[in-house]
Amino acid sequence: MKPPPLVTVLGLGEAGARIAADLVALGIAVSGYDPATVTTPDGVTRFDDPAAAASGSSLVVALTTAATALAAAEEALPGLSESALYADLNTTSPALKRDIASRVRETGAAFADVALLGPVSTRGLRTPALASGPGARRFADTFEPLGMPVEVVSDEPGDAAARKLLRSVFMKGLAASVLESLAAAEAAGHAGWLESEIAAVIGGPLCERLVDGSRRHAARRVDELGAARDLLRDLGVEPRITEASASVLVGLAGKESD
């Protein structure tokens, strides 16, 4: 499949900016939108509203936040053509993905629920992804040649999001465990020793990623674990670890806002 002539990236924060920059580096025209005063990546044509950014684009990639995912989609809808693909890459609940999909469907455009499984800031277009929904195969066919490993899990919106949240219970739980044990070790004067012990088990790069990533993205991950908690309850599983992990992140988010 040929690269799309124009891709729209909604959300030019850390993840969106990296994806947009990688697309530009491949010679793909990119339009963008973000309501915040973030830096526009070189080569990206920025618009003042989502609909204008999406107009004429064959592929719209949403990388806003979970809290603004629905609003971003609604604002972009007037600019979507029937031949466009709207791919939501935000980490949200399966129910929200299905809600967005239903609204996109009304325009005649296709929808893909995409879950990114790794740090986009360092991997960019090479970040592994899960995709579901009626536009999942089209998303995979477009992004795999650009370097992104994409596993199509189903044609139902929300399935990719659910798998990502199930994974988050483990990954964020592991991060919370590392953070709490290191805090205790520091108080006891053994931080260096314990960090070496943890690194010997899970590897130094992962240990560093869990600690630094939790501190940098605590507020966003609180929302992510909130969605995971709701999913577990819907599945009849008591989210004890999930709630404890969220509590650790709430504390980190509070420190960041001080």
Side-chain angles (χ1 to χ4, degrees), residues 10 20 45 87 115 118 125 132 142 164 177 191 211 226 228:
L10 303 180
T45 303
L125 279 176
S132 68
T142 300
K164 168 71 179 285
S177 176
V211 173

Short mmCIF file of all heavy atoms in Angstrom, two decimals, residues 10 20 45 87 115 118 125 132 142 164 177 191 211 226 228:
data_model
loop_
_atom_site.label_atom_id
_atom_site.label_comp_id
_atom_site.label_asym_id
_atom_site.label_seq_id
_atom_site.Cartn_x
_atom_site.Cartn_y
_atom_site.Cartn_z
N LEU A 10 -4.14 14.74 15.55
CA LEU A 10 -4.84 15.54 16.56
C LEU A 10 -4.15 15.32 17.90
O LEU A 10 -4.18 14.21 18.44
CB LEU A 10 -6.31 15.14 16.64
CG LEU A 10 -7.13 15.23 15.35
CD1 LEU A 10 -8.57 14.78 15.62
CD2 LEU A 10 -7.10 16.64 14.78
N ALA A 20 4.06 12.59 14.47
CA ALA A 20 4.00 13.55 13.37
C ALA A 20 5.38 13.78 12.76
O ALA A 20 5.54 13.82 11.54
CB ALA A 20 3.42 14.87 13.88
N THR A 45 1.83 21.25 9.20
CA THR A 45 0.96 22.40 9.00
C THR A 45 -0.11 22.40 10.08
O THR A 45 -0.94 21.49 10.14
CB THR A 45 0.28 22.35 7.62
OG1 THR A 45 1.28 22.29 6.60
CG2 THR A 45 -0.59 23.58 7.40
N ALA A 87 -8.45 7.06 13.34
CA ALA A 87 -7.80 6.11 14.25
C ALA A 87 -7.58 6.77 15.60
O ALA A 87 -6.84 7.75 15.69
CB ALA A 87 -6.48 5.64 13.67
N ALA A 115 -4.26 0.68 20.22
CA ALA A 115 -3.61 0.74 21.52
C ALA A 115 -2.10 0.61 21.32
O ALA A 115 -1.63 -0.40 20.77
CB ALA A 115 -4.12 -0.39 22.43
N GLY A 118 3.96 0.74 24.32
CA GLY A 118 5.34 1.11 24.59
C GLY A 118 5.50 2.61 24.62
O GLY A 118 4.56 3.36 24.33
N LEU A 125 7.19 5.78 15.40
CA LEU A 125 6.41 4.91 14.53
C LEU A 125 6.75 3.43 14.70
O LEU A 125 6.04 2.57 14.16
CB LEU A 125 6.63 5.30 13.06
CG LEU A 125 5.82 6.48 12.53
CD1 LEU A 125 6.23 6.81 11.11
CD2 LEU A 125 4.32 6.21 12.62
N SER A 132 -8.21 -2.72 16.53
CA SER A 132 -9.50 -3.39 16.35
C SER A 132 -10.46 -2.39 15.71
O SER A 132 -10.15 -1.22 15.55
CB SER A 132 -10.04 -3.90 17.69
OG SER A 132 -10.40 -2.84 18.55
N THR A 142 -1.55 0.43 6.44
CA THR A 142 -0.93 1.74 6.24
C THR A 142 0.33 1.90 7.07
O THR A 142 1.36 2.39 6.59
CB THR A 142 -1.92 2.87 6.60
OG1 THR A 142 -3.08 2.76 5.77
CG2 THR A 142 -1.28 4.24 6.39
N LYS A 164 -5.19 -3.44 26.09
CA LYS A 164 -4.18 -2.49 26.61
C LYS A 164 -4.40 -2.27 28.11
O LYS A 164 -3.43 -2.23 28.90
CB LYS A 164 -4.30 -1.16 25.87
CG LYS A 164 -3.53 0.02 26.48
CD LYS A 164 -2.04 -0.11 26.32
CE LYS A 164 -1.30 1.09 26.92
NZ LYS A 164 -1.40 2.29 26.10
N SER A 177 5.11 -1.09 42.47
CA SER A 177 5.91 -1.92 43.37
C SER A 177 7.36 -1.45 43.40
O SER A 177 7.98 -1.35 44.47
CB SER A 177 5.83 -3.38 42.92
OG SER A 177 6.67 -4.20 43.71
N ALA A 191 19.20 2.30 48.92
CA ALA A 191 18.58 2.52 47.61
C ALA A 191 19.43 1.94 46.49
O ALA A 191 18.91 1.29 45.57
CB ALA A 191 18.34 4.01 47.39
N VAL A 211 10.31 3.84 36.56
CA VAL A 211 10.45 4.92 37.54
C VAL A 211 10.26 6.28 36.87
O VAL A 211 9.43 7.10 37.30
CB VAL A 211 11.81 4.85 38.24
CG1 VAL A 211 12.02 6.08 39.12
CG2 VAL A 211 11.92 3.58 39.08
N GLY A 226 -7.83 4.28 36.13
CA GLY A 226 -9.26 4.42 36.41
C GLY A 226 -10.09 3.65 35.40
O GLY A 226 -11.06 2.96 35.76
N ALA A 228 -8.94 1.08 33.70
CA ALA A 228 -8.65 -0.33 33.96
C ALA A 228 -9.47 -0.85 35.14
O ALA A 228 -9.99 -1.97 35.11
CB ALA A 228 -7.16 -0.51 34.24
#
